[in-house]
Amino acid sequence: MFGDLHKISSLSKSYSLEGEDRIALSLLRSIVEAHDSLFYVDIGCNDPEAGNNTKLFYDLGKWGLCIDPIPSLQSIYKEKRPKDHFFSGSVGPERSIEFFIFEDSTASSTDIETVTRYKEKFSLKQSITALQKPLDDVLADFGHQEPVDIPLSSVDIEGSDLEV
């Protein structure tokens, strides 16, 4: 317990774009300090480090489920965050969905309105058909059959955040 407290006190880095990880750590400090394990779900995780809302928690020895439809991210997560589980797909009710990948991958989306708006700012790299599953099914695939206590979830999926 005191090891995490020392780590938390000495950490000043933020990986998130706007410091969301530091805010979440402040709000969850008592949970992080009291438990050796903390499970997070990061939907639309993108890069495992830059602009990432859960990397700070990973650095504290926590682990979770990272979800993103960009196929190349799976091997990057396996290398840089081996304790995390990675689902290469999207969260939702359909079995598959069209996913638009921009050169700036943080702008990638399944939401047609968002894609249309972003085409004016970003170069579209490709569109793929991505696997899509309900979150309960994705959690079950990774061994979580019963309800899971998830004190931290990050949803950043460019236009479909509220639906998820």
Side-chain angles (χ1 to χ4, degrees):
M1 181 166 129
F2 294 109
D4 273 351
L5 181 60
H6 174 69
K7 275 185 180 178
I8 291 170
S9 298
S10 66
L11 278 175
S12 60
K13 182 166 180 61
S14 173
Y15 295 95
S16 297
L17 293 176
E18 301 289 335
E20 298 95 325
D21 54 354
R22 299 294 306 168
I23 294 166
L25 180 58
S26 179
L27 293 170
L28 296 171
R29 182 179 300 268
S30 63
I31 294 171
V32 171
E33 291 172 357
H35 301 284
D36 289 334
S37 65
L38 177 137
F39 185 77
Y40 50 79
V41 174
D42 192 346
I43 302 171
C45 56
N46 205 273
D47 188 271
E49 295 174 344
N52 190 282
N53 293 335
T54 56
K55 170 68 169 137
L56 183 66
F57 290 87
Y58 187 85
D59 286 354
L60 286 168
K62 311 311 176 190
W63 65 279
L65 174 61
C66 298
I67 300 170
D68 203 288
I70 298 175
S72 61
L73 290 174
Q74 187 161 12
S75 61
I76 296 169
Y77 268 82
K78 189 174 217 168
E79 176 189 333
K80 295 191 175 194
R81 289 174 57 175
K83 291 186 307 183
D84 281 338
H85 295 294
F86 186 87
F87 172 65
S88 184
S90 181
V91 173
E94 306 297 323
R95 291 179 168 246
S96 65
I97 193 161
E98 189 170 13
F99 184 68
F100 298 88
I101 303 172
F102 288 92
E103 288 295 331
D104 176 351
S105 63
T106 62
S108 300
S109 181
T110 60
D111 182 68
I112 298 302
E113 285 183 32
T114 300
V115 170
T116 302
R117 192 172 67 249
Y118 282 1
K119 278 183 180 179
E120 296 173 11
K121 299 178 188 178
F122 305 104
S123 175
L124 183 62
K125 186 174 168 181
Q126 72 183 94
S127 102
I128 62 170
T129 300
L131 176 64
Q132 187 176 61
K133 292 183 176 185
L135 182 57
D136 286 343
D137 292 352
V138 176
L139 288 167
D141 289 347
F142 290 101
H144 299 287
Q145 301 296 333
E146 299 175 15
V148 178
D149 183 21
I150 304 171
L152 175 63
S153 62
S154 173
V155 180
D156 185 5
I157 52 175
E158 303 308 312
S160 301
D161 303 62
L162 292 176
E163 292 170 22
V164 170

